[in-house]
């Protein structure tokens, strides 16, 4: 049963492996270039397992101690997982102990596979989702650890490796832009980011920006739903 589920799950995770290998490797190198040993990206990718949050966490670790700000930032960055979790409640019902790991390991890519995959009838759904989650996390942890290990061996200047985080967010934004029927939510994000950057400066604009975006989208939810209809 487990072997069948693993064989069925593995092909779905191959594209994730490709993306996670590059980003995880870059994250490990970035951590090393920032002065951290390979243990940091290995343990952080194992326990946090949130790509965007892990990149941001590098700056948090290098900044003055501010637990409240870090908590709010982490909550806002990963808040989308609340909605992922709600949509998966029925699918996780009756999974036993596997449910706890499925909840912990649910990232964007894993959610996408487990929610949309056409699981064969002869394959146990619980074990299928478990192995999708496990494989995806393994790809990320392995790549981040290797990046942290080889970072110190690189002879070229790695001071600009942090740009990979900016590139990642740009790609995410462009993918979302291409998927949208209208671009109002994206334009709201751009406008809010620009205004908050001007008002609060580059070091303090992130939290006000995310709060502003969430507030505007929440208050305008009904209008957006009518426009989509």
């Amino acid at each position: 049963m487990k072997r069948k589920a693993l064989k069925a799950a593995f092909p779905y995770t191959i594209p994730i492996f490709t993306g996670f290998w590059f980003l995880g490797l870059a994250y490990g190198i970035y951590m090393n270039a920032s002065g951290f040993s390979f243990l940091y990206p290995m343990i952080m990718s194992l326990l946090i397992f949130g790509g965007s949050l892990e990149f941001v966490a590098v700056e948090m670790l290098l900044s003055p101690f501010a637990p409240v700000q870090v908590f709010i930032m982490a909550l806002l960055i990963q808040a989308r997982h609340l909605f992922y979790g709600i949509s998966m409640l029925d699918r996780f019902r009756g999974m036993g102990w596997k449910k706890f790991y499925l909840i912990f390991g649910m990232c964007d890519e894993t959610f996408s596979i487990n929610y949309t995959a056409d699981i064969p009838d002869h394959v146990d759904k619980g074990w299928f989702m478990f192995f999708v989650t496990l494989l995806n996390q393994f790809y990320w942890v392995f790549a981040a650890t290797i990046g942290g290990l080889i970072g110190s061996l690189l002879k070229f200047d790695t001071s600009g490796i942090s740009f990979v985080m900016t590139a990642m967010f740009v790609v995410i934004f462009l993918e979302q832009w291409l998927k949208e029927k209208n671009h109002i939510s994206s334009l709201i994000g751009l406008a809010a980011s620009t205004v908050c950057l001007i008002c609060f400066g580059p070091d303090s604009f992130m939290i006000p920006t995310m709060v502003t975006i969430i507030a505007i989208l929440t208050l305008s939810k009904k209008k957006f739903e009518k426009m989509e209809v």
Side-chain angles (χ1 to χ4, degrees), residues 89-101:
L89 285 176
D90 289 335
R91 294 173 182 263
F92 288 168
R93 185 172 286 112
M95 296 295 179
W97 63 268
K98 293 189 290 294
K99 177 175 65 176
F100 298 101
Y101 178 65

Side-chain angles (χ1 to χ4, degrees), residues 7-197:
K7 288 183 178 180
F10 176 69
Y12 283 93
T13 67
I14 293 176
I16 310 303
F17 167 77
T18 305
F20 275 15
W21 175 253
F22 174 75
L23 284 175
L25 197 67
Y27 167 64
I29 296 173
Y30 176 37
M31 286 289 288
N32 182 273
S34 300
F36 299 96
S37 74
F38 76 95
L39 292 174
Y40 280 83
M42 181 179 71
I43 295 174
M44 289 174 64
S45 59
L46 184 64
L47 299 180
I48 298 176
F49 192 40
S52 54
L53 179 58
E54 288 178 49
F55 274 99
V56 174
V58 180
E59 295 298 327
M60 293 178 181
L61 290 172
L62 296 173
S63 301
F65 184 63
V68 176
Q69 184 177 3
V70 169
F71 172 77
I72 295 174
M73 178 73 77
L75 180 62
L76 292 175
I77 291 176
Q78 302 297 108
R80 66 188 184 281
H81 289 191
L82 294 173
F83 302 98
Y84 293 167
I86 292 173
S87 63
M88 295 296 287
L89 285 176
D90 289 335
R91 294 173 182 263
F92 288 168
R93 185 172 286 112
M95 296 295 179
W97 63 268
K98 293 189 290 294
K99 177 175 65 176
F100 298 101
Y101 178 65
L102 292 172
I103 293 171
F104 165 77
M106 185 168 55
C107 62
D108 298 357
E109 295 78 8
T110 299
F111 165 78
S112 178
I113 294 175
N114 285 340
Y115 191 80
T116 61
D118 185 13
I119 305 173
D121 294 334
H122 67 279
V123 174
D124 182 88
K125 294 182 179 180
W127 282 111
F128 175 90
M129 290 191 285
F130 174 84
F131 283 120
V132 167
T133 305
L134 182 65
L135 288 169
N136 286 343
Q137 185 174 19
F138 172 75
Y139 301 151
W140 181 256
V141 174
F142 182 71
T145 303
I146 295 299
L149 286 170
I150 69 173
S152 59
L153 303 177
L154 299 178
K155 302 301 180 182
F156 58 87
D157 184 12
T158 58
S159 57
I161 194 69
S162 60
F163 182 74
V164 71
M165 182 177 68
T166 304
M168 180 181 69
F169 284 120
V170 170
V171 171
I172 292 173
F173 174 80
L174 291 176
E175 288 182 349
Q176 185 63 30
W177 179 277
L178 294 174
K179 292 178 181 178
E180 292 175 337
K181 294 181 179 179
N182 62 69
H183 305 300
I184 295 178
S185 58
S186 296
L187 293 174
I188 289 174
L190 288 174
S193 301
T194 302
V195 172
C196 291
L197 177 62

